[in-house]
Amino acid sequence: MTDADPFGDDVVEQIKRHMNDDHAADCLTICRALGGRSGATAARMTGMDAAGIEFAVTDGGAEHPVRIPFAERLTERPQVRREVVRMTHEARAALGAPLDVPDGA
């Protein structure tokens, strides 16, 4: 962890586990709408830093890396949740899906 990236490996691992275990559908929605992979059939979070979030996306029978920048540089952990919820709302709107996001997001 450096000043350039305020999120240590342990924090990133916790966020990845939560996203992949509890929000796999949201990961896929985000990658389809914001990651340029409209034909994706699966997505899992693989990493993040202060500037963006990374996924491994299955599309066309192969896995592809996708990085989606955050709207702003994040400096603390609570911002991650807000930014992922924002991305999920934006992605759902782009895909014409319902905008409700459970509180646990």
Side-chain angles (χ1 to χ4, degrees), residues 12-30:
V12 173
E13 286 301 317
Q14 291 170 2
I15 294 168
K16 281 177 18 182
R17 186 171 36 255
H18 174 70
M19 288 300 295
N20 293 330
D21 290 352
D22 297 341
H23 301 287
D26 293 333
C27 291
L28 181 58
T29 298
I30 289 168

Side-chain angles (χ1 to χ4, degrees), residues 45-101:
M45 182 183 165
T46 58
M48 63 159 281
D49 58 31
I53 188 167
E54 299 162 352
F55 298 91
V57 178
T58 303
D59 188 2
E63 194 169 83
H64 307 274
V66 170
R67 180 172 172 86
I68 303 171
F70 293 133
E72 64 183 12
R73 184 169 189 75
L74 307 185
T75 58
E76 56 190 27
R77 188 172 179 167
Q79 291 175 294
V80 176
R81 180 187 186 279
R82 289 190 299 268
E83 185 60 8
V84 170
V85 168
R86 182 202 63 78
M87 287 176 152
T88 302
H89 280 195
E90 184 178 327
R92 288 179 178 178
L95 297 174
L99 298 180
D100 61 319
V101 176

Side-chain angles (χ1 to χ4, degrees), residues 1-11:
M1 179 168 61
T2 67
D3 289 339
D5 185 10
F7 305 106
D9 291 343
D10 58 329
V11 171

